[in-house]
Amino acid sequence: MTVLGCNSGGPTRGGGASGYLVTAESRSLVLDLGSGTLQRLFELIPDVPDAVVITHRHIDHMADLLGLYGYLASERRAGELRPTLRVIAPAGVEEAFAGALQAGPAHGYRDIVAFEEPTMDDQITVGAVQCSFAEAEHSVPAVAVRVSHLRRSLTYTGDTGPSTTVERLAAGTDLLIAEAGNDCEQSASYPYHMTVASAVGLASAANAKQLLLTHLHIAATFDDVVAAVAAVKYAGEVQLAAPGLTIHLEQETF
Ligand SMILES: [Zn+2]
Ligand SMILES: [Zn+2]
């Protein structure tokens, strides 16, 4: 897993909004394509991914899907035909995408990207991995996703407030990528993001082996984050997301 971007809200000069590349057996899957993530994706893989999961319709999680579509549309105009790109996303994402294109019912984008809504009960296969989903606690329809490959898994919360369904999805996962976009003052009145403390609490409750904190509140300082992590009992390793950071989830050797 490589971080394409980890900002909440939007890109900065130092990095993009949310995006994570997952590769296994030379296949690839992208979890969110927020603003400022596409160029880094192109630097990391020689082709387009097998699929893109968009957790919800907020612009910091899907803006560069439009960029990827533009790339594929240009290729197509140049005569290159490839399979439609799978985009797995909850309600509202395709509408936001089509709205940005001002696409009518007969628009040709459907030849290039194929949207599918995930169900919360079934696993789906994408390339070499299995994906399962849970509804997240956010201000718009949103999902968390668990990606499994052989005996390893990662779980990405997308944007969510504290949620028992997301906790169940993450149970025993090897890597929890958890958003911490809330500050303590705001968390009672706006329950749609986690604080650092609630993200670490989720990792602990789900018994995740390691935690990657991401999508931090824009005012969070390093010292604040370290203090908040230290205040919660959690046995696993904690890292802060940064663009380009790669975490390998190695298979057990028997
Ligand atoms: Zn967000
Ligand atoms: Zn959001």
Side-chain angles (χ1 to χ4, degrees):
M1 186 290 302
T2 299
V3 178
L4 303 173
C6 55
N7 284 353
S8 60
T12 56
R13 291 174 190 277
S18 294
Y20 307 88
L21 169 66
V22 181
T23 55
E25 297 180 27
S26 304
R27 310 290 294 271
S28 58
L29 167 70
V30 172
L31 311 178
D32 281 343
L33 260 181
S35 30
T37 57
L38 184 61
Q39 283 309 121
R40 189 173 289 272
L41 175 68
F42 282 157
E43 287 164 12
L44 291 168
I45 58 172
D47 205 346
V48 295
D50 289 312
V52 178
V53 171
I54 300 290
T55 59
H56 64 294
R57 68 174 185 251
H58 284 157
I59 208 80
D60 56 328
H61 296 258
M62 69 168 285
D64 277 8
L65 181 61
L66 288 157
L68 182 55
Y69 165 73
Y71 171 83
L72 293 169
S74 301
E75 264 194 350
R76 197 177 180 88
R77 280 194 296 275
E80 180 156 348
L81 287 177
R82 57 163 89 231
T84 53
L85 175 71
R86 287 177 80 182
V87 178
I88 303 152
V93 173
E94 182 170 6
E95 289 79 359
F97 177 88
L101 296 179
Q102 298 188 307
H107 193 279
Y109 79 79
R110 296 170 185 85
D111 296 333
I112 296 173
V113 286
F115 285 85
E116 54 187 286
E117 278 190 33
T119 62
M120 301 304 123
D121 304 323
D122 297 326
Q123 279 200 336
I124 58 173
T125 300
V126 179
V129 301
Q130 306 285 316
C131 295
S132 44
F133 298 85
E135 277 175 22
E137 186 67 32
H138 202 42
S139 53
V140 298
V143 294
V145 55
R146 180 175 179 133
V147 182
S148 305
H149 178 248
L150 303 178
R151 294 161 62 89
R152 287 287 178 267
S153 72
L154 64 82
T155 304
Y156 168 47
T157 63
D159 280 3
T160 187
S163 160
T164 52
T165 56
V166 174
E167 182 186 318
R168 276 197 296 277
L169 182 76
T173 198
D174 294 288
L175 171 65
L176 176 65
I177 305 170
E179 72 109 296
N182 225 339
D183 63 10
C184 294
E185 289 81 55
Q186 194 186 43
S187 62
S189 60
Y190 193 78
Y192 303 125
H193 290 290
M194 289 187 282
T195 61
V196 171
S198 45
V200 183
L202 170 64
S204 180
N207 203 21
K209 310 276 188 313
Q210 54 176 308
L211 169 64
L212 181 67
L213 286 170
T214 192
H215 196 282
L216 293 178
H217 188 271
I218 196 152
T221 68
F222 182 76
D223 289 348
D224 290 343
V225 173
V226 170
V229 170
V232 183
K233 196 162 177 275
Y234 173 56
E237 182 187 349
V238 182
Q239 292 188 74
L240 283 182
L245 174 73
T246 296
I247 296 178
H248 296 277
L249 299 174
E250 302 295 347
Q251 299 303 314
E252 283 171 10
T253 49
F254 296 96

